[in-house]
Amino acid sequence: MSNVKNYAEQGGEKTVIGGELEIAVGGKLTFAGNELKPAGTQADSTASTIEGLVTDFNALLAKLKAAGLMAVE
C-alpha cells in the first residue's frame, strides 16, 4: 500500500484523490464530453405560494443544467 493520497490504481482504470484536486486557470473538468462548471448562485427561496416555489425551483434546475451538472432533456 502506498502512502500517497493521490494515485492511479494498477491498470489505470481508477484514480483515487485523497488530497486536493486543483483545476488550474485554463483547465477544465469534463464528464462524458461535457464541461462541468460551478452552478450560478441561487438565492434562498422566500416564496409564500406554491407557484412562487415552483418558479424558484425551476430557476435552480436551469442553473444546474447550464453548469453541466444535470442532463438537459
Side-chain angles (χ1 to χ4, degrees):
M1 179 55 103
S2 175
N3 64 354
V4 297
K5 292 183 179 183
N6 306 330
Y7 60 92
E9 289 190 353
Q10 190 169 0
E13 291 294 319
K14 180 179 180 182
T15 300
V16 176
I17 307 297
E20 179 177 326
L21 175 64
E22 178 180 340
I23 308 297
V25 174
K28 64 182 178 177
L29 181 62
T30 60
F31 178 76
N34 297 310
E35 183 177 0
L36 303 178
K37 312 174 277 259
T41 301
Q42 177 67 37
D44 291 346
S45 179
T46 58
S48 59
T49 64
I50 296 296
E51 293 79 14
L53 186 57
V54 167
T55 299
D56 291 347
F57 183 71
N58 285 337
L60 173 61
L61 294 177
K63 289 174 183 171
L64 293 173
K65 290 174 183 176
L69 300 172
M70 179 179 282
V72 178
E73 295 180 67

